[in-house]
Amino acid sequence: MASNSNSSERQRIAQQRLRVITGHLLKREDPVADSGVTGTHCKAEAAGSNEAKKGTVPKKRQEIMKWNGWGYSDSKFLFNKKGQAEFTGKRYRLSGMILPSLKDWFENTFGANVKQHKSPATPSLNASALPAPNLNDAFLQDLKATGIPFSHEADDRVFRAHGHCLHEIFALREGRGFQRVPDMVTWPSCHNDVVKIVELACKHNVCVIPFGGGTSVTGALECPPEETRCIVSLDTSQMNRILWIDEKNLVARVEAGIIGQDLERLLNEGGYCTGHEPDSMEFSSLGGWVATRASGMKKNIYGNIEDLVVNIKVVTPRGVMEKSCQGPRMSTGPDIHHFILGSEGTLGVVTEVTMKIRPIPEYQKYGSVVFPNFEAGVACLREVARQRCAPASIRLMDNEQFQFGHALKPQVSSIFTNFVEGLKKFYITKFKGFDTNQLCVATLLFEGDRDKVLQHEKQVYDIAAKFGGLAAGEDNGQRGYILTFVIAYLRDLGLEYYVVAESFETSVPWDRVLDLCRNVKERIVRECKERGVQFQPLTSCRVTQTYDAGACIYFYFAFNYRGLAEPVHTYEQVERAARDEILANGGSLSHHHGVGKLRKEWMKESVSNVGLGMLRSVKDYVDPDNIFGNRNLL
Amino acid sequence: MTTCEDPSSCRPEQGVEFVDILEERRQGSDIGHALRTFSPSPHRGYQTVSASGLNKMVLESQYLRYVTQEVAMDTGESVDLVREEASGIIEEMSQNLQLGFIRMLGFALSKVFKRLFSHINVNPDGLNRLQQAIQESPVILMPNHRSYVDFLVLSYILFTYDLPIPVIAAGIPLMDMKMIGEIFRRSGAFFIRRSIGTDKLYWAVLSEYVKTIVKTRYAPLEFYVEGLRSRTLKSLTPKLGMMHMVLEPFFKGEVFDTLLMPISISYDRVLEESLLAHELLGVPKPKETTMGLLKARRVLEEDYGSMHVYFGTPLSVRKLSQGRVDRCQYNLIPRDLPQRPSAETQVCVNWLAQLVIRVQEGGMVLSPWSLIACLLLQDLQESHAAGTDLVKGLALDLLTQRTVWLKELALHFGARLDWPELLPDHQVMSSSMALHQSVIGYNQGCVVLLEEEGYMGAGHTKGEESVFRRAGPVLMVAAYRNQALHVFVRPAMLAVAVHATSSSRREDIYIYFRFLLDLFSNEFVFITDRFYQDFEESCSSLRECGAIQTNQQEVTSTEEGQRTMSFLRALLQPFIDTYQVVFSHLCEEGIEVFTEKQMVPALRSLATKLLLSGQLRSYETLSSDTQKNVLSTLLRLGAVTRLRAAEQSEYRVHRPAIRRLADTLACRLPPPLVQTVPDPRL
């Protein structure tokens, strides 16, 4: 029964999403045309059936997305006049809902006061404060000749000057802007456009910074302040077609600028999916996934990006690099794809990718398990990994995140009523003996054919029971996944009330998971105290992916910065300390966020001198003039 | 929580409030105290483990599994058999802390302490710091060890202050005492064999046991970083085995931090004083038996004055080891795998241990008697030299006047003194000396050192016997002087260096100073990497009291500083003498290879001969403790080498190296320019 409601629910969501997206498409005119941007459409190389489809992302992104925060302009959390939290817009499940517990949780957790202590953002971009673009006239002339659209308007440039690191968003909100922004933006619409742009950039010695979804949280999109050449932001958003689908081999050729939600939607129409669902999939792009070694929530079934790609086409200053066949595995020396996977835009632009696709699973079911404490939960996940029976997704949230999730309980809604009722009962009956300040919850997502899912589910719940885990319902599980989609919106809410927040991640061997989580959280608390943070910080973590030999840990960290002169500086010091702590506890520099500029300083100790030298020599060969000059990674 | 950034240079906080915990006991009921509600707040977020649960965790640990397999491979025994052995070891070792026994002990100790001591003074602010520390991190209680009394006094104090009762690392001999062993076990003691040597399995069980206590925050762990009870009342160089075990969980990331709590226990008078002196003179220590303890009841009838227990500021291992130990070193190997600590870890652990001892020393409370002891011994050395009769002694007025002078100097050097300011000086003197009538007496207004009565054993000539009669009390008094040595030792080294160096160049003096610190670093605890800082601090201390003048290039002694400088030099003279006697003995022809058992009696007769002939003035040369320290020093400096690691180590003498040391110490040779590397061995 639950499954029926679940699949109908899924259909409903899918339809809603589709509606929203269609809405965008209908509303969308060609905004770029008015602003003097010229362009002609690229002729598709392949006779793809999806040629006519348009992506969600317009050239002028700021028309539907916030210029100084996360996501769509119409969707945000706010405290209404009654002091209740609500989420605006219509796009999400939480949209239009009142969240009665959020205010208390927010005020109690951070010592914030939503009535008295506000830190509003600068309302709009001060374009006049932006330095005039440093244009390379010769390049511009040649580019014009190609007919590829471009712009050097302030808001276009600023939008592509940043990702979503705290310091970046904070600077935008403060109206301070950035030391260096791109001098112009260009929108190629196919591989050949990119080839032309890169050739011209080499010819005229112009710096190119590829820009995909713009969701980087490593400072990877920041322009190096010392860059004196003209910086061109190469926006891939218009390269968003599925070129073909090969149903015999279950692969699809896709242009790298496509964003996750469009890719899934378009494949779904044909009954397929990639199964690659990073938390940022609403906005992040295929090329970005390749360039940062992205990881999806359901990697247990579908694999991470490196497992999904079969072929990568990349335009470098030396020319185009691509493998000559689509053999599923090769022994031809080191895999050249791995020079590109994680190259973070330092070597070239990924233009097209052939990636695996799968039929949409017949059946999908959420689930959750409550554990008396985090230790028991980790032991259970470890056992699940040992038995290699992890569901599509299994995540273990610590107590702080569990409570956070509860603060997002909507007032009344048909979907959630059950849950609330269920929970009450749950508290009375099963929670006996569980300390609500200790317990933690694992959220599960099963996929596959119905019988197998149910069988699999039983297996996992049986293991959980051995570690004191109690099944806690589907809705409770689903809520956990919703949290990850709205968390970035919540940061914007925090910023309105003196609360800064960020997330970071690592991967670590199983035996060190508990030690690492405890030590990193403790380190954050102490560093905050030592650096004069007046309020107890929120530190929370979850085991978000499991592997045979270890796990991926995701941390949230937030604090009320009232009374601090330089909150971002303080924040950065604490994050640095946290990263040092992670490394000292055997954690990796990054599991899927990447290095960017934020974590460059640790690269040498992470991969050794020789390792770094190898990477450098590739860069030196591929891009001797540092055309792709974003200075990430190395 | 406040932790000192550089604890080694921290002067003890001034104006510490001490509270006498016996006062309440004298007014209230002991049984009430023993049966009071005892509910120390547990560490947050940690589940309580039972004593047997702890043992089980140890036996089932991955680390022991590795070692068990290794041992089985090495010995050819079956894994099960080895596991049983391990289980036997833990049985023998483990504590079984029970609150009932703590209560019983609390009752008994209230009675005993009240009889023995007039006061047991503790600093409540330190206990507050401890309380807070226990909430934050695993806490290691690190007291100095001067008397059997310290063994349970901390548990008693912690019980009184509603703090968790510690588990205590104790030597096996204690366990073998009937009843007492069991009582101690149930009071939280766990027992460690004295010579573990190469017993891999034993070592593994012990270290896993200790690490598990730290990791689970089972209880505060108490151990003596000096390893042994100091027979000389002087700090001993740290033993690092336990220290490594205690710190490993932090280095491996298994705990966020570990807090080391230095605790300084000071006695006006130590119960074992006469036993100690005899041990040092080679009269063997009686075996620790319950009967022996009962027979020792008569010690209960004497007055031992006050005891001070100063709880210092917890030292954060995390903070202190920052930049010294790279915790990433364990990233590529399973943490459970038996591994020798890296060189940098060993250096850091050694440094931390030295640091703890330095902080312990800083927290000691000196009694006026310690100052008097310094002066009595110096007077003895001078008057003996002048050939005057020992019995003449030192006029009380003169002694009082000198003691008051020395008090000012000690305070200037940062000592913490238990000098009742409200009493007139002569009264302070007389009450201090009253406690020590076993070693001093009065003769016509003079304070004299008593000679020991009784027969010293067969085979001694009359001369030898007279030497020994004097040596006993001298060593006893020397022990009390030793309690004050940490205050003066570094300036004293500087005083010797200034005197010994022909030039007044600062650099030359520093080189000699460094030579001395290095040479004597088995005798006194110096912090290995802070010789230069010690030099600078000693310079400024002596400059401030007018004993020397310094500038960028030069250090010179002043006319008015002669008294201070000669006092300081004389303080070290007995040690320098002893080292020279050992050097000259080992340089004698005919000794190529020797054992410690041969060396000690040979030295004793050489020293006796020299004392009788008047060539030597320091009776302390007879102290086997110092003699053994010289041997360790020579070993460390490579001037002797150990031939076999058998039960009886044999040593080979390298005469030129020893001669070089002797000549440098006697200023016949300039000190070497290269600094020797500290021995990082466990």
Side-chain angles (χ1 to χ4, degrees):
Chain A
M1 191 203 79
S3 51
N4 286 342
S5 74
N6 193 270
S7 64
S8 67
E9 172 63 20
R10 278 194 68 236
Q11 275 169 16
R12 200 192 61 79
I13 301 167
Q15 279 161 7
Q16 190 194 2
R17 210 182 223 183
L18 213 57
R19 251 196 333 273
V20 172
I21 291 160
T22 336
H24 293 153
L25 294 173
L26 291 176
K27 263 182 273 170
R28 200 176 139 224
E29 300 132 46
D30 196 357
V32 204
D34 308 331
S35 47
V37 182
T38 54
T40 51
H41 279 286
C42 204
K43 283 194 187 105
E45 290 157 66
S49 58
N50 292 315
E51 201 190 340
K53 304 268 185 200
K54 287 282 174 282
T56 307
V57 185
K59 287 185 190 138
K60 291 258 165 197
R61 300 186 188 213
Q62 55 276 22
E63 287 176 354
I64 62 161
M65 280 143 97
K66 295 193 192 80
W67 68 278
N68 65 351
W70 179 261
Y72 299 106
S73 308
D74 56 19
S75 301
K76 64 172 182 179
F77 285 96
L78 51 80
F79 290 112
N80 62 25
K81 287 192 180 105
K82 284 191 233 158
Q84 282 177 315
E86 65 177 86
F87 191 50
T88 64
K90 296 192 178 99
R91 294 170 190 272
Y92 298 90
R93 290 187 62 189
L94 284 178
S95 296
M97 289 185 183
I98 302 283
L99 311 163
S101 343
L102 187 59
K103 177 172 159 270
D104 284 348
W105 176 85
F106 183 76
E107 292 192 333
N108 294 337
T109 305
F110 297 108
N113 184 319
V114 305
K115 286 251 163 58
Q116 285 170 22
H117 303 301
K118 295 186 188 171
S119 49
T122 318
S124 59
L125 179 67
N126 180 5
S128 58
L130 199 70
N134 164 32
L135 296 173
N136 181 319
D137 291 331
F139 173 80
L140 204 60
Q141 285 306 317
D142 283 357
L143 185 68
K144 270 182 187 156
T146 64
I148 299 166
F150 63 88
S151 155
H152 39 78
E153 290 191 9
D155 49 356
D156 288 329
R157 290 163 58 208
V158 169
F159 200 100
R160 285 155 190 86
H162 65 88
H164 284 270
C165 284
L166 176 73
H167 68 267
E168 296 168 323
I169 299 301
F170 204 89
L172 287 170
R173 289 177 57 90
E174 297 258 281
R176 274 191 281 115
F178 306 103
Q179 236 182 307
R180 186 80 167 88
V181 304
D183 299 301
M184 57 183 287
V185 182
T186 170
W187 288 272
S189 45
C190 64
H191 169 79
N192 283 342
D193 283 357
V194 176
V195 172
K196 286 176 203 158
I197 294 169
V198 173
E199 272 171 10
L200 292 179
C202 293
K203 182 175 162 197
H204 300 292
N205 195 22
V206 161
C207 172
V208 177
I209 298 185
F211 187 90
T215 56
S216 158
V217 284
T218 58
L221 295 167
E222 278 171 41
C223 299
E226 66 275 21
E227 180 61 69
T228 54
R229 298 173 294 180
C230 168
I231 299 179
V232 178
S233 176
L234 191 155
D235 184 321
T236 61
S237 63
Q238 306 310 306
M239 303 197 297
N240 55 13
R241 292 164 302 170
I242 294 179
L243 299 175
W244 43 255
I245 292 174
D246 175 352
E247 295 185 279
K248 288 186 181 156
N249 293 307
L250 287 181
V251 293
R253 184 71 163 182
V254 188
E255 287 185 312
I258 196 166
I259 57 168
Q261 58 165 313
D262 288 353
L263 177 61
E264 263 344 77
R265 175 173 49 84
L266 293 173
L267 285 174
N268 285 177
E269 286 170 8
Y272 292 106
C273 66
T274 63
H276 184 67
E277 295 185 11
D279 290 352
S280 61
M281 69 174 289
E282 280 181 289
F283 305 105
S284 58
S285 69
L286 172 56
W289 300 336
V290 170
T292 57
R293 296 180 63 86
S295 170
M297 179 182 104
K298 299 195 288 195
K299 72 95 195 155
N300 292 336
I301 292 182
Y302 301 95
N304 287 318
I305 194 69
E306 68 273 22
D307 310 309
L308 284 163
V309 295
V310 176
N311 189 278
I312 299 173
K313 194 179 203 175
V314 54
V315 180
T316 76
R318 282 271 174 192
V320 176
M321 185 184 96
E322 191 174 21
K323 285 185 190 174
S324 68
C325 72
Q326 293 189 25
R329 183 183 186 273
M330 300 180 201
S331 176
T332 47
D335 190 341
I336 54 162
H337 283 171
H338 284 281
F339 290 130
I340 305 304
L341 285 157
S343 59
E344 304 193 356
T346 57
L347 300 178
V349 188
V350 178
T351 53
E352 290 173 17
V353 174
T354 305
M355 76 188 294
K356 300 177 192 170
I357 55 170
R358 301 288 306 164
I360 295 177
E362 174 197 316
Y363 188 67
Q364 200 180 35
K365 189 174 181 187
Y366 286 98
S368 65
V369 182
V370 174
F371 293 97
N373 54 46
F374 194 62
E375 287 77 5
V378 170
C380 173
L381 262 65
R382 204 278 161 267
E383 184 58 29
V384 167
R386 196 195 311 274
Q387 297 192 20
R388 290 197 169 166
C389 63
S393 169
I394 177 165
R395 290 176 168 178
L396 177 75
M397 301 192 280
D398 67 359
N399 184 259
E400 287 82 359
Q401 220 163 116
F402 169 77
Q403 306 216 6
F404 182 17
H406 274 262
L408 291 173
K409 219 162 35 175
Q411 199 165 30
V412 181
S413 85
S414 55
I415 323 160
F416 286 98
T417 337
N418 281 345
F419 165 70
V420 175
E421 295 309 315
L423 195 78
K424 273 183 195 157
K425 196 174 136 208
F426 191 64
Y427 261 97
I428 299 160
T429 57
K430 293 185 179 164
F431 271 5
K432 277 190 177 169
F434 278 23
D435 177 353
T436 45
N437 290 316
Q438 290 278 317
L439 64 81
C440 70
V441 62
T443 59
L444 309 164
L445 175 61
F446 297 91
E447 260 188 29
D449 67 61
R450 196 168 180 280
D451 292 342
K452 278 195 186 137
V453 162
L454 295 178
Q455 202 185 336
H456 193 178
E457 191 186 24
K458 184 175 181 309
Q459 187 187 7
V460 172
Y461 283 135
D462 285 350
I463 295 174
K466 282 188 198 136
F467 296 90
L470 300 169
E474 287 180 61
D475 291 327
N476 226 351
Q478 203 170 1
R479 161 187 312 289
Y481 293 97
I482 292 173
L483 180 70
T484 61
F485 281 91
V486 298
I487 187 101
Y489 285 104
L490 274 164
R491 178 169 79 185
D492 289 337
L493 178 73
L495 286 168
E496 296 276 328
Y497 301 94
Y498 288 98
V499 173
V500 287
E502 188 66 286
S503 62
F504 52 92
E505 37 68 80
T506 186
S507 56
V508 66
W510 278 114
D511 74 310
R512 310 198 61 142
V513 167
L514 284 175
D515 290 332
L516 182 133
C517 290
R518 181 198 52 236
N519 289 352
V520 170
K521 283 157 90 172
E522 184 75 37
R523 177 78 180 262
I524 290 173
V525 171
R526 301 219 185 171
E527 293 283 338
C528 281
K529 205 167 156 193
E530 274 169 30
R531 297 177 196 287
V533 176
Q534 315 268 312
F535 303 87
Q536 180 80 4
L538 169 74
T539 59
S540 170
C541 65
R542 67 167 184 262
V543 179
T544 202
Q545 288 291 9
T546 62
Y547 292 89
D548 286 348
C552 167
I553 317 287
Y554 206 92
F555 289 94
Y556 291 128
F557 153 46
F559 63 84
N560 182 337
Y561 67 85
R562 221 144 47 77
L564 288 184
E566 290 191 73
V568 171
H569 180 64
T570 306
Y571 162 78
E572 282 172 347
Q573 286 178 316
V574 177
E575 189 187 323
R576 264 182 65 100
R579 182 57 58 181
D580 278 334
E581 192 63 32
I582 285 175
L583 298 178
N585 283 274
S588 65
L589 190 53
S590 172
H591 170 263
H592 60 272
H593 280 177
V595 175
K597 298 175 190 69
L598 205 58
R599 288 184 266 277
K600 258 164 87 164
E601 59 182 298
W602 291 284
M603 268 300 273
K604 196 162 89 181
E605 62 177 285
S606 283
V607 302
S608 81
N609 252 332
V610 176
L612 201 61
M614 285 177 170
L615 298 180
R616 279 218 178 93
S617 66
V618 170
K619 167 78 178 170
D620 289 346
Y621 171 75
V622 173
D623 185 15
D625 299 322
N626 197 28
I627 297 301
F628 288 90
N630 60 18
R631 297 186 195 268
N632 291 336
L633 203 59
L634 297 173
Chain B
M1 145 146 308
T2 53
T3 45
C4 201
E5 288 302 327
D6 176 12
S8 54
S9 62
C10 267
R11 290 233 162 167
E13 45 179 337
Q14 293 304 315
V16 177
E17 289 289 326
F18 280 96
V19 166
D20 179 10
I21 56 167
L22 290 185
E23 194 165 315
E24 205 188 314
R25 294 276 53 72
R26 292 210 160 91
Q27 282 153 13
S29 124
D30 288 340
I31 194 87
H33 171 254
L35 294 179
R36 52 200 271 281
T37 341
F38 176 71
S39 53
S41 43
H43 324 302
R44 63 189 152 113
Y46 280 80
Q47 280 144 345
T48 43
V49 183
S50 69
S52 59
L54 186 71
N55 293 0
K56 197 161 161 253
M57 282 172 82
V58 173
L59 288 173
E60 287 172 1
S61 67
Q62 183 69 47
Y63 173 67
L64 261 192
R65 229 177 294 167
Y66 277 125
V67 177
T68 316
Q69 270 162 14
E70 262 179 36
V71 171
M73 290 269 267
D74 293 349
T75 58
E77 286 170 20
S78 75
V79 172
D80 285 342
L81 197 69
V82 178
R83 204 171 290 150
E84 243 167 75
E85 268 175 57
S87 166
I89 293 172
I90 205 160
E91 203 82 338
E92 172 196 274
M93 177 186 302
S94 61
Q95 53 76 36
N96 184 17
L97 182 57
Q98 290 175 359
L99 186 57
F101 272 80
I102 294 292
R103 293 186 185 285
M104 192 186 87
L105 208 72
F107 180 72
L109 289 180
S110 291
K111 299 286 180 211
V112 173
F113 286 157
K114 278 191 282 189
R115 182 173 277 190
L116 288 175
F117 298 107
S118 46
H119 309 283
I120 295 182
N121 296 317
V122 302
N123 60 325
D125 57 327
L127 284 155
N128 286 338
R129 289 191 289 258
L130 176 59
Q131 159 90 51
Q132 206 192 336
I134 287 172
Q135 296 301 313
E136 286 179 12
S137 292
V139 171
I140 315 300
L141 303 175
M142 300 180 73
N144 53 1
H145 195 13
R146 301 291 175 264
S147 161
Y148 282 130
V149 176
D150 351 289
F151 191 70
L152 287 171
V153 77
L154 288 184
S155 304
Y156 181 75
I157 296 170
L158 264 51
F159 175 68
T160 306
Y161 276 83
D162 231 6
L163 290 165
I165 307 297
V167 293
I168 312 165
I172 281 276
L174 269 182
M175 181 188 81
D176 291 338
M177 297 163 76
K178 276 190 199 104
M179 293 272 296
I180 301 286
E182 197 50 34
I183 291 174
F184 279 9
R185 194 188 285 281
R186 294 188 188 200
S187 312
F190 65 96
F191 298 98
I192 305 174
R193 292 181 195 160
R194 271 285 169 243
S195 46
I196 303 170
T198 53
D199 188 340
K200 209 169 175 181
L201 186 65
Y202 189 86
W203 188 262
V205 173
L206 173 62
S207 75
E208 187 62 25
Y209 190 67
V210 169
K211 285 186 280 185
T212 310
I213 289 171
V214 174
K215 278 190 277 190
T216 57
R217 295 171 74 170
Y218 179 85
L221 180 74
E222 175 181 336
F223 81 98
Y224 301 112
V225 67
E226 296 166 295
L228 298 164
R229 192 160 45 91
S230 168
R231 269 64 169 168
T232 57
L233 304 192
K234 185 160 62 66
S235 301
L236 304 178
T237 50
K239 306 288 175 290
L240 303 180
M242 269 297 269
M243 196 70 183
H244 272 280
M245 296 174 200
V246 157
L247 296 178
E248 204 183 275
F250 169 72
F251 292 142
K252 289 190 169 172
E254 292 164 324
V255 294
F256 181 77
D257 195 0
T258 300
L259 296 173
L260 307 179
M261 183 76 180
I263 299 169
S264 319
I265 306 178
S266 336
Y267 296 91
D268 279 357
R269 186 181 168 204
V270 178
L271 267 74
E272 301 91 332
E273 55 179 15
S274 65
L275 280 177
L276 298 184
H278 286 146
E279 268 184 63
L280 294 175
L281 288 172
V283 183
K285 163 188 164 187
K287 198 163 177 272
E288 282 148 353
T289 62
T290 311
M291 277 314 284
L293 193 78
L294 292 176
K295 276 184 199 151
R297 254 182 331 175
R298 89 183 155 80
V299 303
L300 295 186
E301 267 130 50
E302 293 199 29
D303 181 3
Y304 293 90
S306 297
M307 171 180 184
H308 283 83
V309 182
Y310 175 75
F311 290 83
T313 302
L315 307 175
S316 157
V317 176
R318 172 175 274 269
K319 273 194 189 147
L320 292 170
S321 65
Q322 201 175 14
R324 290 177 183 263
V325 170
D326 180 8
R327 285 182 291 151
C328 290
Q329 64 182 297
Y330 299 102
N331 284 0
L332 294 178
I333 310 162
R335 290 177 296 171
D336 310 306
L337 209 62
Q339 261 185 85
R340 273 185 72 78
S342 67
E344 62 163 18
T345 309
Q346 296 190 32
V347 169
C348 177
V349 168
N350 184 38
W351 174 77
L352 277 169
Q354 291 170 340
L355 192 65
V356 167
I357 292 179
R358 173 77 68 98
V359 178
Q360 281 174 354
E361 288 178 339
M364 298 281 286
V365 176
L366 296 190
S367 68
W369 167 245
S370 285
L371 302 180
I372 296 169
C374 296
L375 296 164
L376 284 175
L377 288 174
Q378 289 196 9
D379 180 65
L380 175 70
Q381 191 146 354
E382 282 156 23
S383 55
H384 182 72
T388 44
D389 196 347
L390 192 62
V391 180
K392 191 174 167 242
L394 190 58
L396 180 58
D397 285 352
L398 193 57
L399 180 61
T400 307
Q401 183 222 322
R402 286 185 185 174
T403 308
V404 172
W405 170 80
L406 186 54
K407 172 191 146 196
E408 294 309 320
L409 190 66
L411 288 174
H412 176 80
F413 287 157
R416 181 179 292 156
L417 272 175
D418 181 28
W419 189 292
E421 287 300 335
L422 295 175
L423 293 182
D425 292 337
H426 67 88
Q427 216 165 316
V428 175
M429 294 293 287
S430 60
S431 65
S432 282
M433 289 192 293
L435 278 181
H436 296 277
Q437 285 163 357
S438 53
V439 280
I440 52 166
Y442 295 94
N443 188 355
Q444 300 166 351
C446 287
V447 180
V448 291
L449 217 59
L450 297 179
E451 286 193 23
E452 218 169 348
E453 291 164 19
Y455 184 59
M456 303 300 287
H460 291 299
T461 64
K462 204 160 177 256
E464 282 167 349
E465 187 153 337
S466 75
V467 167
F468 273 68
R469 282 187 180 187
R470 284 177 190 179
V474 167
L475 288 184
M476 272 160 79
V477 176
Y480 292 104
R481 173 210 59 200
N482 286 347
Q483 283 193 314
L485 267 183
H486 65 270
V487 174
F488 302 107
V489 68
R490 281 164 289 268
M493 291 287 176
L494 180 60
V496 172
V498 169
H499 191 72
T501 312
S502 49
S503 93
S504 58
R505 276 183 59 210
R506 204 183 167 98
E507 202 186 321
D508 293 339
I509 292 172
Y510 172 60
I511 290 170
Y512 199 83
F513 177 84
R514 198 178 62 190
F515 162 77
L516 288 174
L517 260 58
D518 190 31
L519 182 67
F520 287 107
S521 59
N522 289 70
E523 197 65 46
F524 310 103
V525 180
F526 300 117
I527 297 173
T528 313
D529 67 354
R530 96 191 276 291
F531 286 3
Y532 189 71
Q533 233 172 313
D534 284 341
F535 177 72
E536 290 288 308
E537 282 167 18
S538 304
C539 282
S540 52
S541 288
L542 284 180
R543 190 184 54 235
E544 280 159 24
C545 69
I548 56 170
Q549 286 177 331
T550 62
N551 59 34
Q552 292 287 308
Q553 289 84 34
E554 295 204 320
V555 177
T556 45
S557 52
T558 61
E559 199 56 45
E560 65 274 24
Q562 283 313 313
R563 186 179 182 186
T564 308
M565 294 296 264
S566 63
F567 165 80
L568 291 173
R569 284 201 311 273
L571 207 55
L572 292 184
Q573 200 56 49
F575 297 98
I576 295 174
D577 286 349
T578 309
Y579 276 58
Q580 287 291 22
V581 169
V582 179
F583 292 162
S584 64
H585 164 69
L586 293 179
C587 286
E588 275 170 33
E589 291 302 321
I591 300 177
E592 300 298 333
V593 172
F594 66 99
T595 64
E596 195 181 298
K597 271 207 170 142
Q598 291 167 336
M599 183 192 80
V600 170
L603 277 174
R604 193 175 298 140
S605 59
L606 174 63
T608 311
K609 210 165 68 194
L610 292 171
L611 282 164
L612 283 171
S613 70
Q615 283 168 280
L616 179 70
R617 307 169 195 177
S618 300
Y619 283 88
E620 289 174 59
T621 303
L622 292 165
S623 161
S624 60
D625 181 79
T626 312
Q627 293 164 3
K628 286 173 192 169
N629 286 340
V630 185
L631 184 56
S632 312
T633 303
L634 293 174
L635 203 56
R636 172 173 54 88
L637 297 176
V640 301
T641 40
R642 201 196 301 265
L643 292 182
R644 263 196 311 251
E647 217 167 290
Q648 272 293 316
S649 294
E650 289 188 330
Y651 302 94
R652 180 182 294 283
V653 182
H654 302 290
R655 220 161 270 138
I658 298 179
R659 269 201 203 108
R660 218 163 28 241
L661 287 173
D663 287 347
T664 313
L665 187 58
C667 315
R668 291 188 294 263
L669 267 181
L673 286 171
V674 256
Q675 203 170 357
T676 46
V677 186
D679 178 18
R681 253 178 323 196
L682 290 181

